[in-house]
Amino acid sequence: MISLVLALLLQYPSEDECASRLAMQRGFHQEVVMPDGTRCDLVSTDHAIEVEWSNKWKEAPAQATLYSIWLNKKPKIILLIKAELSAADKIDILRCRLVCERLDIEVEIVRVTDLFTTR
């Protein structure tokens, strides 16, 4: 387990790999195709979910909103962070939370190392 965590610290999985892991762990549907050909990263019973690295948060609210409209579900964003939060991560998370609070979009922060370690 320690070697896996060390490997993750050196090279983080892709956003798609993280979404796959979330789908597997939580029973979500992944890469659901919308009528316009776009793909929602994850779909749960209640939510259309966009998965994004914290530094790319600006793309997520519009995508989550569009998918929620197509699927008639609530929009949600899962922001991915690395093992330790940088100052830039903290600012990006705050900005995303401010925008999403105004737009009534749920935000969840997920530490990537937690996705790939067993407890």
Side-chain angles (χ1 to χ4, degrees):
M1 181 169 73
I2 292 173
S3 61
L4 176 61
V5 172
L6 290 175
L8 287 171
L9 292 174
L10 297 175
Q11 181 178 354
Y12 284 92
S14 70
E15 177 188 304
D16 289 339
E17 291 170 314
C18 293
S20 292
R21 191 66 170 217
L22 284 162
M24 181 181 67
Q25 290 176 352
R26 299 182 184 188
F28 295 160
H29 297 285
Q30 185 180 5
E31 291 289 318
V32 177
V33 180
M34 301 295 106
D36 66 351
T38 57
R39 296 175 184 266
C40 182
D41 290 334
L42 299 171
V43 177
S44 71
T45 305
D46 299 323
H47 292 92
I49 305 165
E50 176 63 18
V51 178
E52 197 64 75
W53 287 102
S54 61
N55 65 323
K56 292 173 59 183
W57 72 269
K58 294 177 199 122
E59 300 171 16
Q63 288 176 282
T65 300
L66 176 63
Y67 304 146
S68 74
I69 291 167
W70 283 120
L71 296 170
N72 196 30
K73 294 182 181 283
K74 295 182 237 174
K76 180 175 179 174
I77 297 168
I78 294 179
L79 285 182
L80 302 172
I81 59 169
K82 297 179 180 175
E84 297 299 323
L85 279 175
S86 68
D89 288 330
K90 291 176 185 177
I91 291 168
D92 288 334
I93 290 167
L94 175 62
R95 288 176 175 160
C96 185
R97 286 190 188 278
L98 288 170
V99 168
C100 290
E101 182 177 309
R102 176 67 59 96
L103 298 173
D104 198 26
I105 300 172
E106 184 179 335
V107 177
E108 178 183 352
I109 310 303
V110 172
R111 191 177 310 270
V112 171
T113 50
D114 292 345
L115 283 177
F116 292 88
T117 56
T118 55
R119 294 181 185 161

